[in-house]
Amino acid sequence: MNTVLKTLGISLVAIGGLAISNVTVAADGGALYTSKLCATCHGADAKTPIQPIYPKLAGQNAEYLIAQTKDIKDKKRTNGQTGTMVPFTMSLTDDDIKAISEWIAAQPTQ
Ligand code: HEC
């Protein structure tokens, strides 16, 4: 099974190059955004937060989103309502944060 998947993956990369691997990253980020419950506070579209004081994230640049999410997770950023988000960041790996941030950055702002 693994060998088949690996072979398939390698073939897809060989055929499609970067385009296919980018689509895969974006899809994972969107799934993680939902499964890690980011959507419950920031909105399914990342721009309709459940509280007016919670930030709209859609379209923000990925580097910034990565840095903020890591700082909130590491409790380096503790301003405002940040504490409410900390528990939801605990299970995120660096790869998860990157994938989610790239997905958010690609969402339309309006
Ligand atoms: C319980 C609600 C809640 C959940 C769940 C939540 N957040 Fe947040 N998030 C917030 C709040 C509130 C802030 C703003 C904190 C402040 O007042 O500065 C914030 C801030 C952020 C910021 C910084 C935005 C900026 O403009 O600086 C990012 C990035 C972010 N969240 C990403 C995520 C991601 C990714 C997830 C899922 C892993 C997530 N959040 C889950 C409430 C939440």
Side-chain angles (χ1 to χ4, degrees):
M1 185 65 171
N2 275 343
T3 314
V4 172
L5 283 176
K6 271 182 199 157
T7 308
L8 182 63
I10 289 163
S11 308
L12 284 175
V13 169
I15 295 165
L18 267 179
I20 283 183
S21 58
N22 281 345
V23 167
T24 306
V25 168
D28 287 347
L32 283 167
Y33 181 82
T34 304
S35 67
K36 299 293 184 181
L37 304 176
C38 316
T40 60
C41 288
H42 293 288
D45 57 3
K47 60 172 185 274
T48 48
I50 56 162
Q51 299 279 350
I53 53 166
Y54 289 6
K56 296 172 186 168
L57 305 175
Q60 184 56 271
N61 79 72
E63 290 302 314
Y64 177 83
L65 293 166
I66 291 168
Q68 297 310 308
T69 304
K70 284 184 178 169
D71 283 354
I72 290 170
K73 179 184 175 188
D74 297 341
K75 299 188 182 141
K76 285 185 201 157
R77 174 173 163 176
T78 57
N79 60 294
Q81 305 292 310
T82 309
T84 62
M85 178 173 143
V86 173
F88 300 90
T89 60
M90 286 307 166
S91 70
L92 299 177
T93 65
D94 284 358
D95 283 347
D96 292 342
I97 292 172
K98 184 171 185 289
I100 295 173
S101 297
E102 287 174 353
W103 180 83
I104 294 171
Q107 299 314 298
T109 53
Q110 27 186 330

mmCIF file of all heavy atoms in Angstrom, residues 26-78:
data_model
loop_
_atom_site.group_PDB
_atom_site.id
_atom_site.type_symbol
_atom_site.label_atom_id
_atom_site.label_comp_id
_atom_site.label_asym_id
_atom_site.label_seq_id
_atom_site.Cartn_x
_atom_site.Cartn_y
_atom_site.Cartn_z
ATOM 1 N N ALA A 26 -2.320 23.357 -0.296
ATOM 2 C CA ALA A 26 -3.467 24.217 -0.033
ATOM 3 C C ALA A 26 -4.647 23.413 0.506
ATOM 4 O O ALA A 26 -5.308 23.831 1.445
ATOM 5 C CB ALA A 26 -3.868 24.956 -1.304
ATOM 6 N N ALA A 27 -4.887 22.234 -0.072
ATOM 7 C CA ALA A 27 -5.996 21.402 0.379
ATOM 8 C C ALA A 27 -5.774 20.955 1.819
ATOM 9 O O ALA A 27 -6.685 21.011 2.638
ATOM 10 C CB ALA A 27 -6.145 20.195 -0.542
ATOM 11 N N ASP A 28 -4.590 20.546 2.165
ATOM 12 C CA ASP A 28 -4.292 20.130 3.537
ATOM 13 C C ASP A 28 -4.518 21.282 4.513
ATOM 14 O O ASP A 28 -5.053 21.082 5.591
ATOM 15 C CB ASP A 28 -2.851 19.660 3.653
ATOM 16 C CG ASP A 28 -2.616 18.312 3.013
ATOM 17 O OD1 ASP A 28 -3.600 17.637 2.693
ATOM 18 O OD2 ASP A 28 -1.447 17.950 2.829
ATOM 19 N N GLY A 29 -4.075 22.472 4.133
ATOM 20 C CA GLY A 29 -4.221 23.631 5.007
ATOM 21 C C GLY A 29 -5.681 23.938 5.292
ATOM 22 O O GLY A 29 -6.047 24.219 6.432
ATOM 23 N N GLY A 30 -6.512 23.858 4.268
ATOM 24 C CA GLY A 30 -7.938 24.110 4.445
ATOM 25 C C GLY A 30 -8.586 23.068 5.350
ATOM 26 O O GLY A 30 -9.412 23.395 6.208
ATOM 27 N N ALA A 31 -8.183 21.807 5.178
ATOM 28 C CA ALA A 31 -8.729 20.739 6.017
ATOM 29 C C ALA A 31 -8.286 20.928 7.467
ATOM 30 O O ALA A 31 -9.078 20.762 8.406
ATOM 31 C CB ALA A 31 -8.274 19.381 5.487
ATOM 32 N N LEU A 32 -7.028 21.311 7.652
ATOM 33 C CA LEU A 32 -6.518 21.545 9.006
ATOM 34 C C LEU A 32 -7.206 22.742 9.659
ATOM 35 O O LEU A 32 -7.504 22.724 10.848
ATOM 36 C CB LEU A 32 -5.001 21.788 8.971
ATOM 37 C CG LEU A 32 -4.127 20.561 8.792
ATOM 38 C CD1 LEU A 32 -2.692 20.980 8.458
ATOM 39 C CD2 LEU A 32 -4.143 19.706 10.054
ATOM 40 N N TYR A 33 -7.441 23.777 8.873
ATOM 41 C CA TYR A 33 -8.112 24.982 9.384
ATOM 42 C C TYR A 33 -9.459 24.597 10.008
ATOM 43 O O TYR A 33 -9.847 25.138 11.046
ATOM 44 C CB TYR A 33 -8.304 25.980 8.241
ATOM 45 C CG TYR A 33 -8.957 27.279 8.651
ATOM 46 C CD1 TYR A 33 -8.223 28.308 9.239
ATOM 47 C CD2 TYR A 33 -10.331 27.478 8.458
ATOM 48 C CE1 TYR A 33 -8.827 29.496 9.618
ATOM 49 C CE2 TYR A 33 -10.942 28.664 8.831
ATOM 50 C CZ TYR A 33 -10.187 29.672 9.411
ATOM 51 O OH TYR A 33 -10.795 30.852 9.794
ATOM 52 N N THR A 34 -10.141 23.629 9.382
ATOM 53 C CA THR A 34 -11.417 23.157 9.919
ATOM 54 C C THR A 34 -11.206 22.183 11.072
ATOM 55 O O THR A 34 -11.770 22.359 12.154
ATOM 56 C CB THR A 34 -12.238 22.454 8.810
ATOM 57 O OG1 THR A 34 -12.393 23.362 7.728
ATOM 58 C CG2 THR A 34 -13.607 22.039 9.321
ATOM 59 N N SER A 35 -10.346 21.180 10.863
ATOM 60 C CA SER A 35 -10.214 20.122 11.872
ATOM 61 C C SER A 35 -9.555 20.623 13.154
ATOM 62 O O SER A 35 -9.820 20.097 14.233
ATOM 63 C CB SER A 35 -9.460 18.917 11.304
ATOM 64 O OG SER A 35 -8.112 19.259 11.028
ATOM 65 N N LYS A 36 -8.709 21.649 13.052
ATOM 66 C CA LYS A 36 -8.070 22.225 14.252
ATOM 67 C C LYS A 36 -8.922 23.338 14.863
ATOM 68 O O LYS A 36 -8.487 24.052 15.764
ATOM 69 C CB LYS A 36 -6.673 22.753 13.914
ATOM 70 C CG LYS A 36 -5.701 21.693 13.395
ATOM 71 C CD LYS A 36 -5.360 20.681 14.467
ATOM 72 C CE LYS A 36 -4.314 19.690 13.958
ATOM 73 N NZ LYS A 36 -3.971 18.661 14.963
ATOM 74 N N LEU A 37 -10.131 23.515 14.330
ATOM 75 C CA LEU A 37 -11.156 24.398 14.908
ATOM 76 C C LEU A 37 -10.874 25.890 14.773
ATOM 77 O O LEU A 37 -11.535 26.708 15.429
ATOM 78 C CB LEU A 37 -11.424 24.026 16.390
ATOM 79 C CG LEU A 37 -11.841 22.561 16.623
ATOM 80 C CD1 LEU A 37 -11.979 22.280 18.108
ATOM 81 C CD2 LEU A 37 -13.127 22.236 15.891
ATOM 82 N N CYS A 38 -9.924 26.253 13.919
ATOM 83 C CA CYS A 38 -9.677 27.678 13.660
ATOM 84 C C CYS A 38 -10.965 28.350 13.180
ATOM 85 O O CYS A 38 -11.243 29.508 13.535
ATOM 86 C CB CYS A 38 -8.602 27.855 12.587
ATOM 87 S SG CYS A 38 -7.173 26.772 12.760
ATOM 88 N N ALA A 39 -11.750 27.615 12.382
ATOM 89 C CA ALA A 39 -12.963 28.175 11.781
ATOM 90 C C ALA A 39 -13.991 28.564 12.836
ATOM 91 O O ALA A 39 -14.785 29.478 12.609
ATOM 92 C CB ALA A 39 -13.570 27.163 10.805
ATOM 93 N N THR A 40 -13.979 27.915 13.997
ATOM 94 C CA THR A 40 -15.001 28.203 15.002
ATOM 95 C C THR A 40 -14.887 29.635 15.513
ATOM 96 O O THR A 40 -15.883 30.220 15.904
ATOM 97 C CB THR A 40 -14.923 27.224 16.195
ATOM 98 O OG1 THR A 40 -13.638 27.330 16.799
ATOM 99 C CG2 THR A 40 -15.183 25.800 15.770
ATOM 100 N N CYS A 41 -13.711 30.201 15.537
ATOM 101 C CA CYS A 41 -13.544 31.594 15.988
ATOM 102 C C CYS A 41 -13.339 32.560 14.829
ATOM 103 O O CYS A 41 -13.834 33.678 14.857
ATOM 104 C CB CYS A 41 -12.356 31.717 16.933
ATOM 105 S SG CYS A 41 -12.662 30.996 18.562
ATOM 106 N N HIS A 42 -12.575 32.137 13.829
ATOM 107 C CA HIS A 42 -12.202 33.067 12.757
ATOM 108 C C HIS A 42 -13.149 32.992 11.555
ATOM 109 O O HIS A 42 -13.006 33.777 10.624
ATOM 110 C CB HIS A 42 -10.761 32.808 12.307
ATOM 111 C CG HIS A 42 -9.746 33.148 13.361
ATOM 112 N ND1 HIS A 42 -9.442 34.435 13.715
ATOM 113 C CD2 HIS A 42 -8.981 32.354 14.165
ATOM 114 C CE1 HIS A 42 -8.518 34.437 14.690
ATOM 115 N NE2 HIS A 42 -8.227 33.182 14.979
ATOM 116 N N GLY A 43 -14.110 32.048 11.582
ATOM 117 C CA GLY A 43 -15.067 31.911 10.481
ATOM 118 C C GLY A 43 -14.561 30.952 9.426
ATOM 119 O O GLY A 43 -13.351 30.860 9.190
ATOM 120 N N ALA A 44 -15.491 30.232 8.789
ATOM 121 C CA ALA A 44 -15.123 29.224 7.787
ATOM 122 C C ALA A 44 -14.339 29.839 6.634
ATOM 123 O O ALA A 44 -13.484 29.194 6.037
ATOM 124 C CB ALA A 44 -16.380 28.532 7.256
ATOM 125 N N ASP A 45 -14.624 31.114 6.324
ATOM 126 C CA ASP A 45 -13.944 31.800 5.224
ATOM 127 C C ASP A 45 -12.770 32.643 5.720
ATOM 128 O O ASP A 45 -12.172 33.398 4.963
ATOM 129 C CB ASP A 45 -14.933 32.684 4.463
ATOM 130 C CG ASP A 45 -15.606 33.710 5.381
ATOM 131 O OD1 ASP A 45 -15.256 33.767 6.578
ATOM 132 O OD2 ASP A 45 -16.475 34.445 4.892
ATOM 133 N N ALA A 46 -12.455 32.541 7.017
ATOM 134 C CA ALA A 46 -11.344 33.267 7.653
ATOM 135 C C ALA A 46 -11.534 34.787 7.658
ATOM 136 O O ALA A 46 -10.600 35.523 7.946
ATOM 137 C CB ALA A 46 -9.993 32.894 7.025
ATOM 138 N N LYS A 47 -12.747 35.221 7.389
ATOM 139 C CA LYS A 47 -13.002 36.672 7.449
ATOM 140 C C LYS A 47 -14.334 37.031 8.101
ATOM 141 O O LYS A 47 -14.768 38.183 8.032
ATOM 142 C CB LYS A 47 -12.898 37.303 6.058
ATOM 143 C CG LYS A 47 -13.858 36.763 5.036
ATOM 144 C CD LYS A 47 -13.794 37.598 3.764
ATOM 145 C CE LYS A 47 -14.807 37.169 2.760
ATOM 146 N NZ LYS A 47 -14.344 36.064 1.912
ATOM 147 N N THR A 48 -14.973 36.050 8.744
ATOM 148 C CA THR A 48 -16.193 36.347 9.495
ATOM 149 C C THR A 48 -16.048 35.813 10.922
ATOM 150 O O THR A 48 -16.640 34.800 11.289
ATOM 151 C CB THR A 48 -17.443 35.719 8.831
ATOM 152 O OG1 THR A 48 -17.153 34.340 8.523
ATOM 153 C CG2 THR A 48 -17.816 36.440 7.559
ATOM 154 N N PRO A 49 -15.221 36.505 11.732
ATOM 155 C CA PRO A 49 -14.984 36.025 13.108
ATOM 156 C C PRO A 49 -16.255 36.074 13.945
ATOM 157 O O PRO A 49 -17.145 36.889 13.676
ATOM 158 C CB PRO A 49 -13.934 37.006 13.633
ATOM 159 C CG PRO A 49 -14.029 38.219 12.759
ATOM 160 C CD PRO A 49 -14.483 37.737 11.423
ATOM 161 N N ILE A 50 -16.337 35.194 14.952
ATOM 162 C CA ILE A 50 -17.551 35.111 15.772
ATOM 163 C C ILE A 50 -17.703 36.296 16.709
ATOM 164 O O ILE A 50 -18.776 36.539 17.220
ATOM 165 C CB ILE A 50 -17.611 33.792 16.589
ATOM 166 C CG1 ILE A 50 -16.359 33.623 17.452
ATOM 167 C CG2 ILE A 50 -17.830 32.609 15.684
ATOM 168 C CD1 ILE A 50 -16.525 32.614 18.579
ATOM 169 N N GLN A 51 -16.618 37.015 16.987
ATOM 170 C CA GLN A 51 -16.675 38.231 17.799
ATOM 171 C C GLN A 51 -16.089 39.366 16.968
ATOM 172 O O GLN A 51 -15.082 39.166 16.281
ATOM 173 C CB GLN A 51 -15.816 38.077 19.065
ATOM 174 C CG GLN A 51 -16.233 36.969 20.009
ATOM 175 C CD GLN A 51 -17.392 37.370 20.897
ATOM 176 O OE1 GLN A 51 -17.783 38.542 20.957
ATOM 177 N NE2 GLN A 51 -17.968 36.384 21.572
ATOM 178 N N PRO A 52 -16.674 40.551 17.064
ATOM 179 C CA PRO A 52 -16.144 41.676 16.273
ATOM 180 C C PRO A 52 -14.680 41.995 16.589
ATOM 181 O O PRO A 52 -13.957 42.476 15.712
ATOM 182 C CB PRO A 52 -17.041 42.856 16.670
ATOM 183 C CG PRO A 52 -18.189 42.293 17.407
ATOM 184 C CD PRO A 52 -17.862 40.910 17.843
ATOM 185 N N ILE A 53 -14.248 41.711 17.817
ATOM 186 C CA ILE A 53 -12.858 42.037 18.176
ATOM 187 C C ILE A 53 -11.873 40.949 17.758
ATOM 188 O O ILE A 53 -10.662 41.112 17.910
ATOM 189 C CB ILE A 53 -12.699 42.314 19.688
ATOM 190 C CG1 ILE A 53 -13.274 41.167 20.508
ATOM 191 C CG2 ILE A 53 -13.323 43.648 20.064
ATOM 192 C CD1 ILE A 53 -12.841 41.216 21.970
ATOM 193 N N TYR A 54 -12.369 39.803 17.275
ATOM 194 C CA TYR A 54 -11.468 38.765 16.772
ATOM 195 C C TYR A 54 -11.029 39.145 15.354
ATOM 196 O O TYR A 54 -11.831 39.667 14.583
ATOM 197 C CB TYR A 54 -12.159 37.394 16.741
ATOM 198 C CG TYR A 54 -12.427 36.763 18.089
ATOM 199 C CD1 TYR A 54 -12.172 37.438 19.281
ATOM 200 C CD2 TYR A 54 -12.937 35.476 18.172
ATOM 201 C CE1 TYR A 54 -12.429 36.849 20.508
ATOM 202 C CE2 TYR A 54 -13.201 34.876 19.401
ATOM 203 C CZ TYR A 54 -12.951 35.561 20.562
ATOM 204 O OH TYR A 54 -13.202 34.972 21.769
ATOM 205 N N PRO A 55 -9.773 38.860 15.007
ATOM 206 C CA PRO A 55 -9.266 39.347 13.717
ATOM 207 C C PRO A 55 -9.768 38.581 12.492
ATOM 208 O O PRO A 55 -9.980 37.371 12.562
ATOM 209 C CB PRO A 55 -7.746 39.181 13.854
ATOM 210 C CG PRO A 55 -7.574 38.091 14.861
ATOM 211 C CD PRO A 55 -8.737 38.198 15.810
ATOM 212 N N LYS A 56 -9.945 39.315 11.397
ATOM 213 C CA LYS A 56 -10.139 38.712 10.076
ATOM 214 C C LYS A 56 -8.756 38.333 9.561
ATOM 215 O O LYS A 56 -7.830 39.148 9.622
ATOM 216 C CB LYS A 56 -10.793 39.712 9.133
ATOM 217 C CG LYS A 56 -12.185 40.107 9.561
ATOM 218 C CD LYS A 56 -12.725 41.242 8.718
ATOM 219 C CE LYS A 56 -14.059 41.705 9.289
ATOM 220 N NZ LYS A 56 -14.510 42.975 8.702
ATOM 221 N N LEU A 57 -8.617 37.114 9.070
ATOM 222 C CA LEU A 57 -7.293 36.616 8.685
ATOM 223 C C LEU A 57 -7.112 36.488 7.173
ATOM 224 O O LEU A 57 -5.978 36.518 6.686
ATOM 225 C CB LEU A 57 -7.057 35.242 9.318
ATOM 226 C CG LEU A 57 -7.208 35.135 10.844
ATOM 227 C CD1 LEU A 57 -7.062 33.683 11.275
ATOM 228 C CD2 LEU A 57 -6.216 36.025 11.562
ATOM 229 N N ALA A 58 -8.212 36.340 6.436
ATOM 230 C CA ALA A 58 -8.143 36.037 5.000
ATOM 231 C C ALA A 58 -7.251 37.037 4.272
ATOM 232 O O ALA A 58 -7.362 38.247 4.479
ATOM 233 C CB ALA A 58 -9.536 36.045 4.391
ATOM 234 N N GLY A 59 -6.379 36.512 3.429
ATOM 235 C CA GLY A 59 -5.550 37.352 2.574
ATOM 236 C C GLY A 59 -4.310 37.932 3.242
ATOM 237 O O GLY A 59 -3.475 38.527 2.557
ATOM 238 N N GLN A 60 -4.195 37.748 4.554
ATOM 239 C CA GLN A 60 -2.978 38.215 5.244
ATOM 240 C C GLN A 60 -1.779 37.404 4.718
ATOM 241 O O GLN A 60 -1.939 36.257 4.315
ATOM 242 C CB GLN A 60 -3.142 38.001 6.753
ATOM 243 C CG GLN A 60 -2.017 38.520 7.612
ATOM 244 C CD GLN A 60 -1.735 39.995 7.407
ATOM 245 O OE1 GLN A 60 -0.930 40.354 6.540
ATOM 246 N NE2 GLN A 60 -2.421 40.846 8.148
ATOM 247 N N ASN A 61 -0.595 37.997 4.711
ATOM 248 C CA ASN A 61 0.526 37.234 4.131
ATOM 249 C C ASN A 61 0.947 36.079 5.039
ATOM 250 O O ASN A 61 0.855 36.159 6.278
ATOM 251 C CB ASN A 61 1.683 38.159 3.741
ATOM 252 C CG ASN A 61 2.531 38.565 4.919
ATOM 253 O OD1 ASN A 61 3.285 37.753 5.445
ATOM 254 N ND2 ASN A 61 2.393 39.804 5.362
ATOM 255 N N ALA A 62 1.363 34.994 4.404
ATOM 256 C CA ALA A 62 1.603 33.735 5.104
ATOM 257 C C ALA A 62 2.711 33.852 6.155
ATOM 258 O O ALA A 62 2.586 33.299 7.253
ATOM 259 C CB ALA A 62 1.923 32.632 4.097
ATOM 260 N N GLU A 63 3.773 34.590 5.819
ATOM 261 C CA GLU A 63 4.891 34.709 6.776
ATOM 262 C C GLU A 63 4.409 35.321 8.091
ATOM 263 O O GLU A 63 4.782 34.884 9.171
ATOM 264 C CB GLU A 63 6.003 35.584 6.184
ATOM 265 C CG GLU A 63 6.749 34.933 5.036
ATOM 266 C CD GLU A 63 7.389 33.618 5.440
ATOM 267 O OE1 GLU A 63 8.027 33.575 6.506
ATOM 268 O OE2 GLU A 63 7.228 32.633 4.710
ATOM 269 N N TYR A 64 3.593 36.363 7.971
ATOM 270 C CA TYR A 64 3.056 37.027 9.155
ATOM 271 C C TYR A 64 2.173 36.073 9.961
ATOM 272 O O TYR A 64 2.284 35.979 11.182
ATOM 273 C CB TYR A 64 2.263 38.282 8.746
ATOM 274 C CG TYR A 64 1.609 38.980 9.914
ATOM 275 C CD1 TYR A 64 2.314 39.876 10.704
ATOM 276 C CD2 TYR A 64 0.279 38.718 10.249
ATOM 277 C CE1 TYR A 64 1.709 40.500 11.790
ATOM 278 C CE2 TYR A 64 -0.327 39.335 11.326
ATOM 279 C CZ TYR A 64 0.386 40.222 12.090
ATOM 280 O OH TYR A 64 -0.207 40.830 13.171
ATOM 281 N N LEU A 65 1.286 35.339 9.251
ATOM 282 C CA LEU A 65 0.382 34.404 9.922
ATOM 283 C C LEU A 65 1.164 33.322 10.651
ATOM 284 O O LEU A 65 0.833 32.950 11.786
ATOM 285 C CB LEU A 65 -0.573 33.773 8.899
ATOM 286 C CG LEU A 65 -1.584 34.726 8.245
ATOM 287 C CD1 LEU A 65 -2.221 34.079 7.028
ATOM 288 C CD2 LEU A 65 -2.644 35.152 9.246
ATOM 289 N N ILE A 66 2.216 32.816 10.007
ATOM 290 C CA ILE A 66 3.056 31.785 10.633
ATOM 291 C C ILE A 66 3.672 32.337 11.913
ATOM 292 O O ILE A 66 3.613 31.708 12.979
ATOM 293 C CB ILE A 66 4.153 31.307 9.646
ATOM 294 C CG1 ILE A 66 3.529 30.511 8.500
ATOM 295 C CG2 ILE A 66 5.219 30.476 10.368
ATOM 296 C CD1 ILE A 66 4.483 30.246 7.323
ATOM 297 N N ALA A 67 4.255 33.534 11.820
ATOM 298 C CA ALA A 67 4.932 34.123 12.975
ATOM 299 C C ALA A 67 3.957 34.358 14.130
ATOM 300 O O ALA A 67 4.267 34.040 15.295
ATOM 301 C CB ALA A 67 5.606 35.435 12.571
ATOM 302 N N GLN A 68 2.756 34.884 13.795
ATOM 303 C CA GLN A 68 1.792 35.178 14.866
ATOM 304 C C GLN A 68 1.293 33.892 15.517
ATOM 305 O O GLN A 68 1.179 33.811 16.745
ATOM 306 C CB GLN A 68 0.602 35.990 14.323
ATOM 307 C CG GLN A 68 0.988 37.353 13.781
ATOM 308 C CD GLN A 68 1.843 38.145 14.745
ATOM 309 O OE1 GLN A 68 1.493 38.305 15.909
ATOM 310 N NE2 GLN A 68 2.977 38.627 14.278
ATOM 311 N N THR A 69 0.981 32.890 14.694
ATOM 312 C CA THR A 69 0.460 31.632 15.249
ATOM 313 C C THR A 69 1.507 30.970 16.137
ATOM 314 O O THR A 69 1.195 30.486 17.234
ATOM 315 C CB THR A 69 0.019 30.685 14.106
ATOM 316 O OG1 THR A 69 -0.936 31.369 13.293
ATOM 317 C CG2 THR A 69 -0.621 29.422 14.653
ATOM 318 N N LYS A 70 2.779 30.992 15.695
ATOM 319 C CA LYS A 70 3.845 30.411 16.526
ATOM 320 C C LYS A 70 4.015 31.196 17.824
ATOM 321 O O LYS A 70 4.187 30.611 18.902
ATOM 322 C CB LYS A 70 5.168 30.386 15.757
ATOM 323 C CG LYS A 70 5.223 29.283 14.717
ATOM 324 C CD LYS A 70 6.582 29.210 14.043
ATOM 325 C CE LYS A 70 6.610 28.062 13.049
ATOM 326 N NZ LYS A 70 7.806 28.106 12.191
ATOM 327 N N ASP A 71 3.964 32.529 17.730
ATOM 328 C CA ASP A 71 4.137 33.351 18.933
ATOM 329 C C ASP A 71 2.988 33.159 19.923
ATOM 330 O O ASP A 71 3.196 33.184 21.132
ATOM 331 C CB ASP A 71 4.266 34.835 18.559
ATOM 332 C CG ASP A 71 5.657 35.173 18.024
ATOM 333 O OD1 ASP A 71 6.543 34.290 18.049
ATOM 334 O OD2 ASP A 71 5.855 36.317 17.585
ATOM 335 N N ILE A 72 1.768 32.971 19.384
ATOM 336 C CA ILE A 72 0.616 32.715 20.267
ATOM 337 C C ILE A 72 0.779 31.346 20.915
ATOM 338 O O ILE A 72 0.600 31.191 22.122
ATOM 339 C CB ILE A 72 -0.713 32.837 19.475
ATOM 340 C CG1 ILE A 72 -0.958 34.311 19.104
ATOM 341 C CG2 ILE A 72 -1.880 32.278 20.279
ATOM 342 C CD1 ILE A 72 -2.094 34.555 18.113
ATOM 343 N N LYS A 73 1.180 30.353 20.120
ATOM 344 C CA LYS A 73 1.394 29.003 20.660
ATOM 345 C C LYS A 73 2.470 29.006 21.753
ATOM 346 O O LYS A 73 2.315 28.375 22.793
ATOM 347 C CB LYS A 73 1.799 28.050 19.526
ATOM 348 C CG LYS A 73 2.058 26.625 20.002
ATOM 349 C CD LYS A 73 2.549 25.727 18.877
ATOM 350 C CE LYS A 73 2.894 24.359 19.451
ATOM 351 N NZ LYS A 73 3.545 23.487 18.459
ATOM 352 N N ASP A 74 3.563 29.730 21.506
ATOM 353 C CA ASP A 74 4.693 29.770 22.459
ATOM 354 C C ASP A 74 4.485 30.783 23.582
ATOM 355 O O ASP A 74 5.394 31.007 24.390
ATOM 356 C CB ASP A 74 5.988 30.115 21.708
ATOM 357 C CG ASP A 74 6.360 29.056 20.681
ATOM 358 O OD1 ASP A 74 5.850 27.921 20.793
ATOM 359 O OD2 ASP A 74 7.143 29.374 19.756
ATOM 360 N N LYS A 75 3.321 31.423 23.569
ATOM 361 C CA LYS A 75 2.969 32.438 24.580
ATOM 362 C C LYS A 75 3.952 33.604 24.608
ATOM 363 O O LYS A 75 4.148 34.248 25.635
ATOM 364 C CB LYS A 75 2.831 31.801 25.966
ATOM 365 C CG LYS A 75 1.741 30.744 26.001
ATOM 366 C CD LYS A 75 1.478 30.246 27.411
ATOM 367 C CE LYS A 75 0.408 29.157 27.401
ATOM 368 N NZ LYS A 75 0.655 28.073 28.316
ATOM 369 N N LYS A 76 4.567 33.877 23.455
ATOM 370 C CA LYS A 76 5.377 35.098 23.339
ATOM 371 C C LYS A 76 4.454 36.266 23.068
ATOM 372 O O LYS A 76 4.768 37.401 23.388
ATOM 373 C CB LYS A 76 6.367 34.971 22.172
ATOM 374 C CG LYS A 76 7.538 34.070 22.459
ATOM 375 C CD LYS A 76 8.510 34.127 21.280
ATOM 376 C CE LYS A 76 9.399 32.914 21.247
ATOM 377 N NZ LYS A 76 9.925 32.676 19.886
ATOM 378 N N ARG A 77 3.324 35.989 22.401
ATOM 379 C CA ARG A 77 2.305 37.020 22.157
ATOM 380 C C ARG A 77 1.140 36.742 23.098
ATOM 381 O O ARG A 77 0.526 35.673 23.033
ATOM 382 C CB ARG A 77 1.851 36.985 20.698
ATOM 383 C CG ARG A 77 0.694 37.949 20.453
ATOM 384 C CD ARG A 77 0.327 38.068 18.989
ATOM 385 N NE ARG A 77 -1.002 38.656 18.891
ATOM 386 C CZ ARG A 77 -1.609 38.967 17.752
ATOM 387 N NH1 ARG A 77 -1.007 38.734 16.610
ATOM 388 N NH2 ARG A 77 -2.807 39.481 17.760
ATOM 389 N N THR A 78 0.844 37.714 23.974
ATOM 390 C CA THR A 78 -0.186 37.494 24.998
ATOM 391 C C THR A 78 -1.184 38.649 25.058
ATOM 392 O O THR A 78 -1.958 38.743 26.002
ATOM 393 C CB THR A 78 0.470 37.337 26.388
ATOM 394 O OG1 THR A 78 1.245 38.518 26.653
ATOM 395 C CG2 THR A 78 1.357 36.117 26.458
#
